C-alpha cells in the first residue's frame, strides 16, 4: 500500500483512490466508530484494510454507499441479521425487502397500540372498582383438544368449568401424562370458596403441586400451563410456557400472556422479527415450563372481567396455524363457547394441523 494511516482521521493513498481512516469514514457515513467496529466483527461492513503496524481500520470510499444504507436501515430499527440480507440483494429486491419489513413494523405497532388500549382499559377498571358496584357474573365455557393430522398421540390437555379454565401442552416421552397431571392439580380449585384476595395465592400453590409432580429432568418431558381462576369479576391468570391466553372485549382481541420461549426472547432483543420467529427451527424450545429439576417461575396477574367478554386459552398447535385475525373472527361470530372451540379446531385441521391443538373458551355474562 502506498502511503500510511494517519492517526487524526485523515486519508491515505490507495491505488486509484484513497482509503479513509475509521474516523473519516464514520463522519462520512454517519456511523460511529463503535458501530463500525461492531459491523466489522459481524461481517456486515468489513474494513478494506487493517494497517498491520498501527491496527487502524481503513475503508474504501466505495463502501460509503453500503454504510449509509446500513445507517438508514438501523434508523428503521431493522435487526442486524436482516440488514445483512438486504445489503446482499439487488436494488429492486432490497426495496421489496424493506417494504415487507416496514409492513411488519406497522402490524407490530398496531398490535402494541391495541395492547396499550387494553392496559389503559384494565387500569381504568381498577380505579373504578371501589366506586362502582360489581355486576354478579356467570361463565359459560367449553374445552376441546385434537390430535391433529400429523402427531401420533395427543399430548394436550384442557379443562373448562364455571370458575376455572386451563390448558396444558405436554412435550417429550411423558408429555401427555405431564399435561394431564398439570390440569388435575388445579381441578379442586373449582369447588373451593375463594375470595378475590385468595385467587393468585391458591392458583400459584396448585401450580407448584403440578410442578413437583412433573417428570424428572432426565426424562426430557414436561408441560406448559395457562389457567384462569375466577372469583366474582376477578380473574387470576397463571402462565408458564408458550400456550396463550386472549380476551375479546369491545376494543378488540388482546393477548394477555407472553411466550416463555427462545424465539420470543430473540424477538424481544430485536434479533428476530415475529415473521422470522414463526419459522425458526428452534421455535418450540421453551425457557420456562413445568419440568422436574427446573425452577418454577410462572407469570401471575389479576384481570378485572366484565359481562360480554370472551376468554380463550389455547396451545401453540392452534396459534401456530391460525392468525390473530382468524381467532378474533371466530370468537366474535361464534354462537357460544361450544361452537367457538369446534370452529377453532376445525380451522386448525383445515390449515394442516401439524401439532396437537387444545383450546378453552369462557364467556362471561351477568348472573
Amino acid at each position: 500500500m502506498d502511503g500510511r494511516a494517519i492517526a487524526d482521521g485523515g486519508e491515505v493513498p490507495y491505488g486509484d483512490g484513497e482509503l479513509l481512516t475509521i474516523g473519516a469514514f464514520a463522519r462520512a457515513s454517519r456511523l460511529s466508530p463503535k458501530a463500525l467496529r461492531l459491523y466489522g466483527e459481524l461481517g456486515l461492513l468489513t474494513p478494506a484494510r487493517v494497517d498491520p503496524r498501527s491496527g487502524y481500520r481503513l475503508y474504501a470510499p466505495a463502501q460509503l454507499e453500503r454504510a449509509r444504507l446500513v445507517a438508514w436501515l438501523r434508523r428503521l430499527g431493522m435487526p442486524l441479521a436482516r440488514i445483512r440480507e438486504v445489503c446482499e440483494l439487488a436494488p429492486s429486491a432490497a426495496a421489496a425487502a424493506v417494504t415487507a419489513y416496514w409492513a411488519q413494523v406497522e402490524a407490530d405497532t398496531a398490535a402494541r397500540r391495541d395492547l396499550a388500549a387494553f392496559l389503559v382499559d384494565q387500569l381504568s377498571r381498577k380505579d373504578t372498582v371501589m366506586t362502582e358496584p360489581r355486576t354478579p357474573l356467570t361463565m359459560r365455557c367449553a374445552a376441546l383438544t385434537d390430535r391433529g393430522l400429523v402427531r401420533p398421540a395427543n399430548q394436550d390437555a384442557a379443562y373448562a368449568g364455571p370458575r376455572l379454565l386451563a390448558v396444558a401442552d405436554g412435550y417429550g416421552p411423558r408429555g401427555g401424562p405431564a399435561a394431564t397431571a398439570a390440569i388435575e392439580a388445579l381441578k379442586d380449585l373449582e369447588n373451593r370458596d375463594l375470595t378475590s384476595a385468595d385467587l393468585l395465592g391458591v392458583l400459584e400453590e396448585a401450580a407448584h403441586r403440578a410442578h413437583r409432580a412433573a417428570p424428572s429432568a432426565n426424562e426430557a418431558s414436561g408441560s406448559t400451563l395457562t389457567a384462569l381462576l375466577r372469583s366474582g369479576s376477578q380473574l387470576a391468570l397463571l402462565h408458564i410456557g408458550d400456550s396463550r391466553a386472549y380476551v375479546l372485549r369491545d376494543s378488540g382481541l388482546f393477548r394477555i400472556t407472553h411466550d416463555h420461549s427462545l424465539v420470543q426472547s430473540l424477538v424481544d432483543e430485536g434479533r428476530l422479527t415475529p415473521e422470522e420467529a414463526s419459522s425458526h427451527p428452534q421455535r418450540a424450545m421453551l425457557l420456562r415450563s413445568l419440568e422436574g429439576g427446573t425452577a418454577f417461575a410462572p407469570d401471575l396477574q389479576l384481570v378485572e372481567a366484565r359481562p360480554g367478554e370472551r376468554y380463550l386459552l389455547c396451545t401453540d398447535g392452534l396459534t401456530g396455524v391460525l392468525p390473530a385475525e382468524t381467532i378474533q373472527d371466530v370468537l366474535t361470530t361464534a354462537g357460544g363457547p361450544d361452537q367457538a372451540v369446534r370452529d377453532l379446531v376445525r380451522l386448525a385441521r383445515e390449515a394442516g394441523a401439524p401439532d396437537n391443538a387444545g383450546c378453552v373458551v369462557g364467556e362471561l355474562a351477568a348472573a
Side-chain angles (χ1 to χ4, degrees):
M1 181 186 76
D2 296 328
R4 66 181 186 277
I6 301 175
D8 65 0
E11 302 174 354
V12 295
Y14 183 74
D16 295 334
E18 293 177 328
L19 285 183
L20 305 177
T21 62
I22 191 170
F25 192 77
R27 289 193 294 273
S29 64
R30 305 289 181 88
L31 291 168
S32 69
K34 181 179 179 181
L36 289 173
R37 293 187 188 97
L38 172 62
Y39 299 159
E41 293 170 2
L42 296 175
L44 183 60
L45 198 60
T46 305
R49 179 179 173 84
V50 178
D51 188 280
R53 289 176 295 178
S54 66
Y56 288 129
R57 297 164 184 254
L58 306 172
Y59 295 83
Q63 292 180 282
L64 281 171
E65 183 177 2
R66 181 183 178 111
R68 288 165 179 155
L69 176 60
V70 170
W72 291 331
L73 294 176
R74 284 301 289 160
R75 288 183 65 186
L76 287 179
M78 185 177 287
L80 292 175
R82 194 155 184 173
I83 290 176
R84 184 185 296 110
E85 295 174 0
V86 171
C87 287
E88 299 302 325
L89 296 173
S92 59
V98 173
T99 299
Y101 169 75
W102 193 247
Q104 184 63 55
V105 169
E106 290 181 325
D108 294 342
T109 301
R112 289 194 294 271
R113 181 186 64 238
D114 290 344
L115 178 58
F118 168 77
L119 292 174
V120 169
D121 185 38
Q122 195 65 33
L123 292 170
S124 299
R125 292 182 184 200
K126 290 180 181 294
D127 192 43
T128 60
V129 71
M130 300 301 294
T131 60
E132 294 182 357
R134 291 182 176 178
T135 303
L137 299 177
T138 61
M139 185 161 65
R140 294 194 299 156
C141 54
L144 186 63
T145 67
D146 183 71
R147 181 173 63 86
L149 302 176
V150 176
R151 295 295 176 87
N154 188 1
Q155 294 188 306
D156 285 2
Y159 175 82
R163 298 178 63 185
L164 174 69
L165 310 176
V167 293
D169 183 355
Y171 60 87
R174 295 189 57 204
T180 300
I183 298 295
E184 290 295 326
L186 305 185
K187 280 187 178 180
D188 70 323
L189 301 180
E190 184 72 67
N191 301 315
R192 291 180 59 176
D193 186 16
L194 301 171
T195 66
S196 58
D198 299 326
L199 286 178
L200 286 177
V202 297
L203 185 57
E204 183 178 15
E205 177 52 36
H208 265 291
R209 293 197 298 271
H211 184 249
R212 290 192 291 267
S216 61
N218 59 15
E219 294 180 272
S221 298
S223 176
T224 70
L225 180 61
T226 302
L228 282 170
L229 180 64
R230 183 177 69 87
S231 175
S233 62
Q234 289 280 304
L235 297 172
L237 171 65
L238 181 143
H239 169 68
I240 186 166
D242 64 352
S243 296
R244 294 180 178 178
Y246 295 84
V247 58
L248 179 73
R249 51 179 49 162
D250 291 340
S251 46
L253 179 73
F254 305 98
R255 175 152 63 106
I256 54 176
T257 54
H258 194 71
D259 293 349
H260 301 145
S261 64
L262 173 65
V263 294
Q264 183 62 59
S265 71
L266 295 177
V267 171
D268 294 341
E269 294 167 6
R271 296 164 63 187
L272 283 179
T273 66
E275 180 185 33
E276 293 165 337
S278 65
S279 58
H280 195 279
Q282 293 180 300
R283 60 187 177 277
M285 182 175 292
L286 298 177
L287 299 181
R288 287 193 253 169
S289 65
L290 298 178
E291 182 177 332
T294 63
F296 180 66
D299 291 339
L300 292 156
Q301 63 175 297
L302 282 174
V303 178
E304 184 71 24
R306 288 184 179 174
E309 295 178 342
R310 285 182 172 177
Y311 288 82
L312 167 68
L313 278 58
C314 60
T315 62
D316 66 339
L318 197 74
T319 54
V321 295
L322 297 184
E325 295 80 8
T326 299
I327 293 173
Q328 179 170 345
D329 183 62
V330 170
L331 292 178
T332 301
T333 60
D338 284 329
Q339 182 184 345
V341 295
R342 289 196 304 270
D343 288 348
L344 289 169
V345 168
R346 174 180 56 80
L347 290 170
R349 292 179 70 86
E350 290 177 359
D355 196 0
N356 307 150
C359 58
V360 177
V361 172
E363 179 184 77
L364 294 165

